[in-house]
Short mmCIF file of all heavy atoms in Angstrom, two decimals:
data_model
loop_
_atom_site.label_atom_id
_atom_site.label_comp_id
_atom_site.label_asym_id
_atom_site.label_seq_id
_atom_site.Cartn_x
_atom_site.Cartn_y
_atom_site.Cartn_z
N PHE A 190 106.29 118.27 86.04
CA PHE A 190 107.72 118.12 85.77
C PHE A 190 108.42 119.48 85.78
O PHE A 190 109.47 119.65 86.42
CB PHE A 190 107.93 117.42 84.42
CG PHE A 190 109.37 117.35 83.99
CD1 PHE A 190 110.23 116.43 84.58
CD2 PHE A 190 109.86 118.20 83.03
CE1 PHE A 190 111.56 116.36 84.20
CE2 PHE A 190 111.18 118.15 82.64
CZ PHE A 190 112.04 117.22 83.22
N VAL A 191 107.84 120.46 85.08
CA VAL A 191 108.43 121.80 85.05
C VAL A 191 108.44 122.41 86.44
O VAL A 191 109.44 122.98 86.89
CB VAL A 191 107.65 122.70 84.06
CG1 VAL A 191 108.11 124.16 84.17
CG2 VAL A 191 107.82 122.20 82.63
N PHE A 192 107.32 122.26 87.15
CA PHE A 192 107.19 122.86 88.48
C PHE A 192 108.19 122.27 89.47
O PHE A 192 108.91 123.00 90.17
CB PHE A 192 105.76 122.63 88.99
CG PHE A 192 105.43 123.40 90.22
CD1 PHE A 192 105.12 124.75 90.16
CD2 PHE A 192 105.41 122.78 91.46
CE1 PHE A 192 104.81 125.47 91.30
CE2 PHE A 192 105.10 123.49 92.60
CZ PHE A 192 104.81 124.84 92.52
N THR A 193 108.29 120.94 89.51
CA THR A 193 109.20 120.28 90.45
C THR A 193 110.66 120.52 90.08
O THR A 193 111.51 120.71 90.97
CB THR A 193 108.91 118.77 90.48
OG1 THR A 193 107.52 118.57 90.71
CG2 THR A 193 109.70 118.08 91.58
N SER A 194 110.97 120.52 88.79
CA SER A 194 112.36 120.69 88.35
C SER A 194 112.90 122.06 88.72
O SER A 194 114.12 122.23 88.90
CB SER A 194 112.46 120.48 86.83
OG SER A 194 112.05 119.17 86.49
N ILE A 195 112.03 123.06 88.83
CA ILE A 195 112.48 124.41 89.19
C ILE A 195 112.55 124.58 90.71
O ILE A 195 113.55 125.09 91.26
CB ILE A 195 111.56 125.47 88.56
CG1 ILE A 195 111.67 125.43 87.03
CG2 ILE A 195 111.89 126.87 89.09
CD1 ILE A 195 110.71 126.35 86.32
N THR A 196 111.50 124.17 91.42
CA THR A 196 111.43 124.43 92.86
C THR A 196 112.36 123.52 93.66
O THR A 196 112.91 123.95 94.68
CB THR A 196 109.99 124.23 93.36
OG1 THR A 196 109.52 122.93 92.98
CG2 THR A 196 109.06 125.28 92.77
N TYR A 197 112.54 122.27 93.24
CA TYR A 197 113.30 121.30 94.04
C TYR A 197 114.73 121.78 94.31
O TYR A 197 115.16 121.83 95.47
CB TYR A 197 113.28 119.94 93.35
CG TYR A 197 113.68 118.80 94.25
CD1 TYR A 197 112.73 118.07 94.95
CD2 TYR A 197 115.02 118.43 94.41
CE1 TYR A 197 113.08 117.02 95.78
CE2 TYR A 197 115.39 117.39 95.24
CZ TYR A 197 114.41 116.68 95.92
OH TYR A 197 114.76 115.65 96.75
N PRO A 198 115.50 122.13 93.29
CA PRO A 198 116.88 122.57 93.59
C PRO A 198 116.94 123.96 94.22
O PRO A 198 117.85 124.24 95.00
CB PRO A 198 117.56 122.56 92.21
CG PRO A 198 116.45 122.71 91.23
CD PRO A 198 115.26 122.05 91.83
N MET A 199 115.98 124.85 93.87
CA MET A 199 116.03 126.20 94.42
C MET A 199 115.77 126.19 95.93
O MET A 199 116.45 126.91 96.69
CB MET A 199 115.01 127.10 93.72
CG MET A 199 115.36 127.43 92.27
SD MET A 199 114.20 128.61 91.53
CE MET A 199 114.62 130.10 92.44
N ILE A 200 114.82 125.38 96.38
CA ILE A 200 114.53 125.32 97.81
C ILE A 200 115.65 124.64 98.56
O ILE A 200 115.91 124.92 99.73
CB ILE A 200 113.18 124.60 98.04
CG1 ILE A 200 112.05 125.41 97.41
CG2 ILE A 200 112.90 124.39 99.52
CD1 ILE A 200 110.71 124.71 97.44
N GLY A 201 116.34 123.72 97.87
CA GLY A 201 117.41 122.98 98.52
C GLY A 201 116.90 121.73 99.21
O GLY A 201 117.40 121.37 100.29
N LEU A 202 115.93 121.06 98.58
CA LEU A 202 115.43 119.81 99.14
C LEU A 202 116.50 118.72 98.99
O LEU A 202 117.51 118.90 98.34
CB LEU A 202 114.13 119.42 98.44
CG LEU A 202 112.97 120.41 98.61
CD1 LEU A 202 111.77 119.98 97.81
CD2 LEU A 202 112.60 120.58 100.08
N LYS A 203 116.23 117.57 99.58
CA LYS A 203 117.24 116.52 99.72
C LYS A 203 117.83 116.14 98.37
O LYS A 203 117.10 115.81 97.43
CB LYS A 203 116.61 115.30 100.38
CG LYS A 203 117.64 114.28 100.85
CD LYS A 203 117.00 113.20 101.70
CE LYS A 203 118.04 112.23 102.24
NZ LYS A 203 117.43 111.19 103.10
N ALA A 204 119.16 116.17 98.29
CA ALA A 204 119.86 115.88 97.04
C ALA A 204 119.76 114.40 96.70
O ALA A 204 119.63 113.55 97.58
CB ALA A 204 121.32 116.32 97.14
N GLY A 205 119.82 114.11 95.42
CA GLY A 205 119.78 112.72 94.96
C GLY A 205 118.68 112.53 93.93
O GLY A 205 117.57 113.07 94.08
N VAL A 206 119.01 111.74 92.90
CA VAL A 206 118.04 111.53 91.82
C VAL A 206 116.81 110.79 92.32
O VAL A 206 115.67 111.11 91.95
CB VAL A 206 118.71 110.73 90.66
CG1 VAL A 206 117.70 110.42 89.57
CG2 VAL A 206 119.89 111.51 90.10
N SER A 207 117.01 109.79 93.18
CA SER A 207 115.87 109.00 93.67
C SER A 207 114.91 109.87 94.48
O SER A 207 113.67 109.73 94.36
CB SER A 207 116.36 107.84 94.52
OG SER A 207 117.08 108.31 95.65
N HIS A 208 115.44 110.79 95.30
CA HIS A 208 114.57 111.68 96.09
C HIS A 208 113.81 112.65 95.18
O HIS A 208 112.62 112.91 95.40
CB HIS A 208 115.41 112.46 97.10
CG HIS A 208 116.20 111.59 98.02
ND1 HIS A 208 115.61 110.66 98.86
CD2 HIS A 208 117.54 111.48 98.23
CE1 HIS A 208 116.55 110.03 99.54
NE2 HIS A 208 117.73 110.51 99.18
N TYR A 209 114.51 113.14 94.15
CA TYR A 209 113.84 114.03 93.20
C TYR A 209 112.73 113.30 92.46
O TYR A 209 111.62 113.83 92.30
CB TYR A 209 114.86 114.59 92.21
CG TYR A 209 114.24 115.18 90.97
CD1 TYR A 209 113.62 116.43 91.00
CD2 TYR A 209 114.25 114.49 89.77
CE1 TYR A 209 113.03 116.98 89.88
CE2 TYR A 209 113.67 115.02 88.64
CZ TYR A 209 113.06 116.25 88.69
OH TYR A 209 112.48 116.78 87.56
#
Side-chain angles (χ1 to χ4, degrees):
F190 174 76
V191 171
F192 190 78
T193 308
S194 299
I195 294 175
T196 54
Y197 196 93
M199 290 185 70
I200 296 173
L202 298 176
K203 192 170 184 179
V206 176
S207 61
H208 303 301
Y209 163 76

